[in-house]
């Protein structure tokens, strides 16, 4: 009864037809939006066509059709809308997002955060893998300014590296090497500008 009242209160605030629905068994379904804020490239199958509606309905996994891999950056702040259940966990949301984008990286590389705004500040909190995002959405209401979900890279120290394959670890090393070189170039450019200004002043 309590959940029913919360859902009715939630649906009364909805303006985009994305209502929550209560099932006979007490569970409920609804929608969440997830912002993808990934700073590093993801690994996807190379030379694979985009997933069709037929593939989705038949649950065809296109990633299994080739061993070739390539890396690319997902658009920053891309938003994906998911229809989930009250029993769907954070872990399942992460796996579902990776499957939709045909990302073959280990799900342990990623974490789901809740983003909240308070007193003009933006606060991020990492969600446990066993948390239920739809329940959090129900409690917060449909306003994404109050609460939104963000997919980000997991903190390096929290990743269990033993769970990754050799090719994945080699890919990580390549990415880190690239990032290191970019940082070095940034520092070199910064001090080169300082040097030029000093020389001009002299």
């Amino acid at each position: 009864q309590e959940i029913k009242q919360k859902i009715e209160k939630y649906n009364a605030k909805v303006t985009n037809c994305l209502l929550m629905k209560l099932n006979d068994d007490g569970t409920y379904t609804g929608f969440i939006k997830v912002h993808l804020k990934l700073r590093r490239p993801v690994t996807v199958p190379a030379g694979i066509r985009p997933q069709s509606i037929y593939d989705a309905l038949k649950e065809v996994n296109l990633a299994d059709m080739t061993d070739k891999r390539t890396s690319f950056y997902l658009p920053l702040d891309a938003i994906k809308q998911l229809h989930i259940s009250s029993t769907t966990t954070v872990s399942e949301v992460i796996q579902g997002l990776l499957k939709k984008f045909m990302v073959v990286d280990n799900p342990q590389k990623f974490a789901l955060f809740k983003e909240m705004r308070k007193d003009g500040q933006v606060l991020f909190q990492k969600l446990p893998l066993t948390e239920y995002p739809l329940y959090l959405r129900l409690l917060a209401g449909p306003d994404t300014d109050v609460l939104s979900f963000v997919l980000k890279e997991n903190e390096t120290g929290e990743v269990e590296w033993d769970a990754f394959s050799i090719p994945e670890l080699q890919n990580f090393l390549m990415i880190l090497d690239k990032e290191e070189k970019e940082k070095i170039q940034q520092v070199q450019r910064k001090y080169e500008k300082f040097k030029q200004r000093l020389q001009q002043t002299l």
Side-chain angles (χ1 to χ4, degrees):
Q1 190 63 29
E2 183 183 349
I3 291 294
K4 182 180 179 181
Q5 291 174 356
K6 288 183 184 296
I7 290 175
E8 289 174 351
K9 186 178 178 181
Y10 179 96
N11 287 341
K13 298 177 182 178
V14 171
T15 57
N16 53 11
C17 300
L18 301 179
L19 303 172
M20 288 202 189
K21 181 183 177 184
L22 183 63
N23 301 318
D24 293 335
D25 60 0
T27 62
Y28 50 97
T29 56
F31 296 85
I32 63 168
K33 288 182 180 179
V34 181
H35 296 249
L36 278 69
K37 295 185 178 181
L38 301 177
R39 294 173 290 119
R40 292 176 177 170
V42 294
T43 306
V44 297
I48 291 291
R49 58 181 170 78
Q51 189 181 44
S52 67
I53 295 176
Y54 172 82
D55 294 331
L57 291 174
K58 295 292 184 180
E59 295 188 351
V60 175
N61 190 354
L62 297 175
D64 292 339
M65 295 183 178
T66 179
D67 291 329
K68 295 180 180 179
R69 299 288 184 255
T70 187
S71 296
F72 80 106
Y73 286 91
L74 284 172
L76 196 63
D77 270 348
I79 299 176
K80 194 69 180 176
Q81 191 163 273
L82 298 175
H83 184 251
I84 63 173
S85 162
S86 56
T87 60
T88 305
T89 63
V90 164
S91 176
E92 291 167 333
V93 166
I94 293 173
Q95 291 176 43
L97 283 168
L98 298 182
K99 186 176 180 181
K100 282 182 180 292
F101 284 97
M102 290 195 293
V103 175
V104 295
D105 290 308
N106 194 309
Q108 288 187 357
K109 276 180 65 178
F110 308 93
L112 193 68
F113 291 76
K114 64 177 180 180
E115 180 182 331
M116 299 163 290
R117 299 178 188 276
K118 188 176 182 181
D119 300 328
Q121 290 185 318
V122 179
L123 306 174
F124 287 95
Q125 182 181 344
K126 182 181 174 181
L127 296 174
L129 292 176
T130 53
E131 182 67 87
Y132 301 106
L134 194 62
Y135 181 65
L136 297 178
R137 179 82 277 160
L138 177 63
L139 294 180
D143 188 354
T144 53
D145 286 337
V146 176
L147 170 74
S148 59
F149 296 104
V150 179
L151 183 73
K152 300 171 72 175
E153 284 90 356
N154 212 339
E155 294 298 327
T156 307
E158 299 177 13
V159 178
E160 295 180 16
W161 296 107
D162 292 341
F164 294 95
S165 65
I166 296 298
E168 285 177 320
L169 292 171
Q170 290 173 337
N171 192 39
F172 295 159
L173 288 174
M174 288 173 58
I175 293 169
L176 290 171
D177 186 54
K178 181 183 176 183
E179 289 181 354
E180 183 184 34
K181 288 176 181 176
E182 288 175 351
K183 287 289 184 184
I184 291 171
Q185 289 173 358
Q186 286 176 9
V187 173
Q188 287 175 335
R189 285 194 295 266
K190 175 183 174 183
Y191 283 98
E192 186 63 33
K193 285 181 181 178
F194 284 144
K195 185 179 177 181
Q196 289 174 2
R197 288 175 188 170
L198 281 170
Q199 288 175 339
Q200 287 171 1
T201 303
L202 288 170

